[in-house]
Structures are given as structure tokens and as C-alpha cells.
């Protein structure tokens, strides 16, 4: 073999080694599985007849049948952070986006991870350097669950990157009003120049008592349906309840609560 042939052989081996470093499988391997949420581990590893599978299905809702796409998206993001080359990172981000997009299209009203889904997709948009799309998803996540901490931090980071610290602290202030005990939000508030005491928390308005006429029999109370389990009962959110927020934005841009500067 001459030196030219040897050089081609080394180059070919390098390409093969690089190709082998990219994991094309959408399912987490054994080591990756340890980093996945428990509902993903059960979704991938347990039969639908198992008590664990049925328990998570009841908590997460009818979209549990599609949850392997959500879990694949999470796993591709994890692989992104461990990738060594721009090509590998781009490959993993695109696959994460494809799986999160699938879940958005398949999304049903009882999906308990709706806020987390949009937050994760917003993170992928952010990593893809698409801040406008990221802002829409982070704001949509907060419209679903205003007590979800991560979107506030992500929006603050986007505004700091856009040289708008004033908007960043406004966002973190809003987060602390909804989640006053969040150490992450408290720390970010102080880093951005906020001063103690921390912002006053939102106080839920108490329902006014209904007077009953003394000469009329009390009416039979209406049946109250148990709400669907919220995403906050699951490991990915710091919040304590999933609450539908009031509409935000304008008719031309319904998601833009905290947009970065133009």
C-alpha cells in the first residue's frame, strides 16, 4: 500500500468513527435512560398492561399513547449537550424539534405536560437561534401554567442577550409574584439588580359567600368534577398547580408578553 492509499484509509476510518458517534435511535440507551423522567422510563420499558404504565397514563392523559415522541425530544436535547461537533449538535436539535412538533400537533386538552412541552420546544428554538419563536413558546407555556419557573428564566436570558436588562427583571419579577419561594428566580432577581424585599406574591381572590334565603330550602350542590392532573405533579415543574392564564398579547401577536427588543 502506498502513502496515498494509506491516507485515504485513515480518512475513511475517521469518517466511520465520526458517523458511529452519532446515535440515530430515538430511544434512550441504558445509560441515557437513567437521565430520563420516570414516565419516559415506564413508557419505553413497561408493557401497557403494567400497573405503572396505567398509572402514568391516568396522570398524564390521553397523550400518553404518543409520549415516546416527547421523551425522544428530551433525549435528543440531552445528546445535544454531549455532542462534540456542530454537525452532531445540529442533527440532535433537528430531531428534538421534529419530535416536539409531533407532540404539539397531537396535543389534547388533558395533556398534563402541555406547559413543559412548549417550554422544551422553546429551548430548542433558542438553541437554534430563533428567539422570536422561542419567546412565543415560553409565553405560551406560562399562559398554561404561570407557576412554571423555567420559562421565566429563559425569557430573562433572551432579554439580557438582547441588551434589555429592564425587561429581564420585569419578567423575573412577574415570576416571583407567582412563585415567591423559587430560589432560582430569587437569585436571578438579585443578579439583575433587584433589591429586597422580593416582589409581593399574587394573592388569589377569595370567593364571595352566597347568601341563602332563610325561608327557602338550600339547593342541592352541583357535582364538581375532579380536575385533570396538572404538569406540576410531575418532576419537571416547580409549580404547585396548572392554571389557565388570561389571554395575552395583541390580536396580531397573541403570545408576545415578554418579547425581546427589536
Amino acid at each position: 500500500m502506498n502513502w496515498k492509499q494509506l491516507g485515504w484509509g485513515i480518512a475513511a476510518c475517521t469518517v466511520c468513527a465520526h458517523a458511529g458517534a452519532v446515535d440515530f435511535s430515538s430511544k434512550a440507551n441504558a445509560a441515557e435512560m437513567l437521565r430520563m423522567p420516570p414516565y419516559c422510563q415506564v413508557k419505553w420499558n413497561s408493557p401497557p398492561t403494567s400497573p405503572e404504565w396505567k398509572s402514568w397514563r391516568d396522570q398524564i392523559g390521553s397523550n400518553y399513547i404518543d409520549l415516546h415522541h416527547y421523551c425522544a425530544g428530551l433525549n435528543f436535547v440531552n445528546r445535544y449537550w454531549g455532542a462534540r461537533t456542530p454537525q452532531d449538535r445540529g442533527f440532535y436539535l433537528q430531531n428534538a424539534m421534529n419530535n416536539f412538533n409531533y407532540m404539539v400537533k397531537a396535543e389534547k386538552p388533558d395533556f398534563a405536560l402541555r406547559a413543559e412541552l412548549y417550554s422544551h420546544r422553546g429551548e430548542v428554538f433558542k438553541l437554534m437561534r430563533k428567539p422570536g419563536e422561542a419567546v412565543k413558546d415560553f409565553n405560551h407555556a406560562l399562559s398554561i401554567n404561570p407557576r412554571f419557573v423555567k420559562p421565566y428564566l429563559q425569557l430573562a436570558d433572551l432579554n439580557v442577550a438582547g441588551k434589555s436588562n429592564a425587561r429581564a427583571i420585569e419578567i423575573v419579577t412577574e415570576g416571583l409574584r407567582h412563585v415567591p419561594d423559587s430560589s432560582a428566580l430569587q437569585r436571578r432577581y438579585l443578579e439583575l439588580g433587584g433589591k429586597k424585599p422580593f416582589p409581593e406574591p399574587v394573592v388569589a381572590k377569595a370567593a364571595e359567600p352566597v347568601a341563602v334565603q332563610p325561608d327557602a330550602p338550600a339547593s342541592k350542590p352541583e357535582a364538581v368534577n375532579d380536575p385533570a392532573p396538572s404538569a406540576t405533579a410531575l418532576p419537571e415543574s416547580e409549580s404547585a398547580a396548572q392554571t389557565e392564564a388570561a389571554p395575552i398579547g395583541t390580536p396580531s401577536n397573541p403570545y408576545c408578553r415578554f418579547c425581546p427588543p427589536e
Side-chain angles (χ1 to χ4, degrees), residues 48-260:
T49 55
S50 68
E52 296 83 6
W53 203 97
K54 293 179 179 178
S55 175
W56 280 117
R57 179 199 58 197
D58 292 343
Q59 293 181 66
I60 289 177
S62 51
N63 274 124
Y64 194 63
I65 193 69
D66 309 297
L67 201 72
H68 51 286
H69 288 283
Y70 176 82
C71 298
L74 297 181
N75 195 46
F76 279 122
V77 172
N78 288 341
R79 289 176 183 171
Y80 164 87
W81 291 112
R84 297 182 179 182
T85 69
Q87 292 80 8
D88 291 353
R89 288 191 287 272
F91 172 82
Y92 290 137
L93 279 183
Q94 188 57 58
N95 277 273
M97 179 62 71
N98 292 344
N99 280 279
F100 289 144
N101 283 342
Y102 180 96
M103 289 302 300
V104 167
K105 291 179 181 179
E107 175 192 348
K108 295 181 174 59
D110 68 340
F111 184 35
L113 295 173
R114 289 171 64 222
E116 281 83 349
L117 169 61
Y118 284 96
S119 180
H120 284 302
R121 193 176 71 162
E123 181 183 3
V124 174
F125 275 128
K126 180 183 172 186
L127 293 171
M128 287 179 163
R129 299 184 181 181
K130 297 180 179 180
E133 297 301 319
V135 166
K136 290 179 183 179
D137 271 4
F138 292 140
N139 276 319
H140 191 52
L142 291 175
S143 75
I144 297 168
N145 183 2
R147 287 180 53 80
F148 189 15
V149 170
K150 191 172 182 180
Y152 291 112
L153 298 173
Q154 295 276 25
L155 285 165
D157 289 346
L158 283 170
N159 279 277
V160 169
K163 310 299 182 183
S164 183
N165 282 29
R167 287 189 182 183
I169 197 169
E170 176 187 344
I171 293 163
V172 175
T173 298
E174 182 69 10
L176 282 171
R177 293 183 68 240
H178 288 282
V179 200
D181 296 330
S182 169
S183 58
L185 287 172
Q186 290 175 357
R187 182 171 60 252
R188 196 74 175 105
Y189 177 80
L190 296 174
E191 289 172 352
L192 290 168
K195 305 296 182 182
K196 291 184 178 180
F198 293 117
E200 290 291 325
V202 173
V203 178
K205 183 178 179 181
E208 296 183 1
V210 179
V212 179
Q213 296 296 330
D215 57 346
S219 60
K220 182 179 179 181
E222 296 180 359
V224 178
N225 295 325
D226 291 334
S230 71
T232 59
L234 303 172
E236 291 188 316
S237 171
E238 288 187 38
S239 59
Q242 180 172 321
T243 308
E244 291 290 340
I248 59 177
T250 64
S252 62
N253 193 350
Y255 296 115
C256 189
R257 180 193 298 170
F258 299 121
C259 291

